[in-house]
Amino acid sequence: PFARQLQPFDGLTSPLRGSGEARAAPSLAPGAVSPEALPLEVPPVEEAYGAPSAAPSDGARGGGWRDLRDAATLARGGGGAGGGGRRKRWLVPLPPGGLALVACCVQLYPASDYRHAVLSPCALLVAEVLAQEGLPRGRVGLRRTLFLCSQALKLVTPSKRFMPELHTTLHRLLAASLGGGGSGGGGVGWAGAAVRPRPLSFATLGGSYCVATAEAEQASVDEGGALLSLVQSLAELHAQLPSFAELFAPHAALLGAPGGAARLPPALHAAHEAARALVELRIGRAIAGRRPLRLQRRAPVPIKLLNPVFEDDFQPGRDADPDRERAQLQLLKRKAKKEHKGAARELRKDGAFLAGEREREKRQRDDYLEARGKRAVQIMQEQEHAWKQQKKVKRDAAKEL
């Protein structure tokens, strides 16, 4: 059912189908106008993403992965097929297939992991696309950029990471909507409307999407409400950062600028005021919560007193404690300790004396046994010498005979 809902919305290929087939753009409904007739110019798909490449063969990768590759090449400043190798002037967001893949990855995998085999490359791709200078061209590009910013916010919310590309992109969009210009070309304006903002629909991100004249005001209100909601969510997420006041001071200046809300439809005045109040409140709390730096937090060390203390009636053997019972108890304890030490000293002396006696007795016994062994060896040697002399005398007598 999910794959059935994410059908290709324009001439691009759906990333969930995995085929290179393209669908023709639907016919315009009665009362609808083409994208070229809108106040915000919408470039064709070939101009924004380069000329479409040849259809892949059977078994090749789907068109969604090719769209991701081409969008990443354009984000780095290179021209894809037909791009001419020059740097684009407008912010080129991801195509619907790439946005669908990013949304699926954010929903399926845990975004709180420090490193993830899928979400880490996905976050790098999102950051690289948002790091482009300039503003999105046309209403469809603006909606794709806002959708990509919402997915980037979902990526960093569980771990409360800071993504500078998301921060600067929202600041550029906010400056273009409230200040009338930005750092990359055409401003983003909102038509006057008296309706309530609605969440952006994924079906409105296709290149063939066109807005009827009666719904143009509602679409402008939806885009402005999504932008202000993203600014509020980002401020709530990074409210605990030490540099929150410096990071969101430009946003507060844009939201609190005189005449800035006059460029918005009346339906967005409440959301604009809520965003301004929230950012200013968080900045005030961040500044009020700061504390001056201190060299050290430990208690100061008192200076040593070098003047000795003298007592006129000092007695060496007398305790100066006013409680006599406690003084007597301490005296008995000292005596018992002294006796204990004396007894231990006497025991050590007795042990040393006994060890010396045992050593002396052992030495005497060893000397006696050694002398006795030497005497026995001497007797045996004398007997052997006498036997040899007798044997020699007998041999000499035998020779004489």
Side-chain angles (χ1 to χ4, degrees):
F2 183 72
R4 192 177 299 115
Q5 294 176 7
L6 293 178
Q7 296 295 331
F9 305 109
D10 52 4
L12 302 177
T13 306
S14 172
L16 300 178
R17 291 174 56 185
S19 63
E21 302 176 358
R23 296 180 58 184
S27 59
L28 299 179
V33 294
S34 62
E36 290 77 6
L38 293 175
L40 300 177
E41 183 182 358
V42 180
V45 177
E46 290 80 3
E47 181 179 352
Y49 302 103
S53 56
S57 58
D58 296 339
R61 287 187 176 180
W65 296 107
R66 186 177 63 256
D67 297 339
L68 278 178
R69 178 197 61 198
D70 297 341
T73 305
L74 290 174
R76 289 192 296 269
R86 59 183 178 85
R87 201 171 182 84
K88 293 297 181 180
R89 182 169 174 260
W90 307 92
L91 188 150
V92 182
L94 290 177
L99 295 177
L101 284 179
V102 171
C104 290
C105 292
V106 172
Q107 293 292 334
L108 294 178
Y109 298 105
S112 59
D113 292 355
Y114 183 73
R115 289 188 182 90
H116 196 273
V118 177
L119 288 186
S120 295
C122 180
L124 290 177
L125 175 63
V126 171
E128 190 172 5
V129 174
L130 294 180
Q132 303 175 78
E133 297 181 0
L135 295 171
R137 188 176 183 182
R139 173 158 291 154
V140 177
L142 174 61
R143 285 174 172 261
R144 292 178 182 179
T145 304
L146 291 175
F147 181 83
L148 190 61
C149 290
S150 66
Q151 299 306 313
L153 185 63
K154 291 180 181 179
L155 277 172
V156 300
T157 296
S159 58
K160 294 185 177 181
R161 297 174 184 171
F162 180 72
M163 182 181 288
E165 295 83 4
L166 173 62
H167 188 84
T168 54
T169 300
L170 291 180
H171 179 262
R172 285 199 303 268
L173 295 178
L174 195 63
S177 61
L178 299 179
S183 62
V188 180
W190 316 109
V195 291
R196 290 181 175 273
R198 300 176 306 183
L200 296 180
S201 174
F202 193 87
T204 62
L205 304 181
S208 61
Y209 171 74
C210 58
V211 183
T213 306
E215 296 182 358
E217 298 178 354
Q218 178 64 52
S220 299
V221 173
D222 296 344
E223 295 158 2
L227 176 59
L228 294 175
S229 176
L230 286 174
V231 172
Q232 293 186 53
S233 301
L234 193 64
E236 288 286 355
L237 178 64
H238 299 311
Q240 303 299 328
L241 288 179
S243 58
F244 179 85
E246 287 74 16
L247 287 174
F248 283 86
H251 298 73
L254 291 173
L255 293 172
R263 302 199 53 194
L264 299 177
L268 294 179
H269 287 176
H272 173 270
E273 182 63 24
R276 183 195 63 80
L278 175 65
V279 173
E280 291 182 354
L281 175 63
R282 292 299 183 184
I283 289 178
R285 289 183 178 178
I287 296 176
R290 292 179 176 178
R291 295 293 180 267
L293 296 178
R294 298 198 308 178
L295 180 61
Q296 56 186 5
R297 291 182 175 273
R298 62 181 182 180
V301 180
I303 301 176
K304 293 183 178 180
L305 299 178
L306 301 179
N307 296 330
V309 179
F310 294 97
E311 294 183 6
D312 298 335
D313 55 347
F314 176 74
Q315 299 180 8
R318 185 175 180 274
D319 196 347
D321 193 350
D323 190 352
R324 301 313 306 167
E325 293 183 359
R326 185 170 55 192
Q328 189 68 18
L329 180 60
Q330 293 294 334
L331 179 61
L332 294 178
K333 288 183 178 180
R334 285 195 295 270
K335 288 184 177 181
K337 186 177 181 180
K338 185 177 180 180
E339 295 294 334
H340 183 271
K341 293 172 65 177
R345 185 170 54 254
E346 294 296 332
L347 290 176
R348 285 195 298 270
K349 289 182 179 181
D350 295 344
F353 175 76
L354 293 177
E357 290 295 323
R358 286 194 294 269
E359 184 68 23
R360 185 177 59 81
E361 292 178 357
K362 181 181 178 181
R363 191 182 306 110
Q364 292 179 357
R365 184 170 60 254
D366 294 342
D367 294 343
Y368 170 73
L369 294 177
E370 184 179 2
R372 185 175 177 181
K374 289 181 178 180
R375 178 60 182 168
V377 172
Q378 183 181 3
I379 294 174
M380 292 175 64
Q381 290 177 353
E382 292 177 353
Q383 291 179 357
E384 184 178 3
H385 177 69
W387 175 75
K388 288 181 179 181
Q389 289 293 333
Q390 293 178 3
K391 188 176 181 180
K392 182 179 180 181
V393 171
K394 289 182 180 181
R395 186 170 58 253
D396 294 340
K399 288 180 179 180
E400 293 177 357
L401 293 177

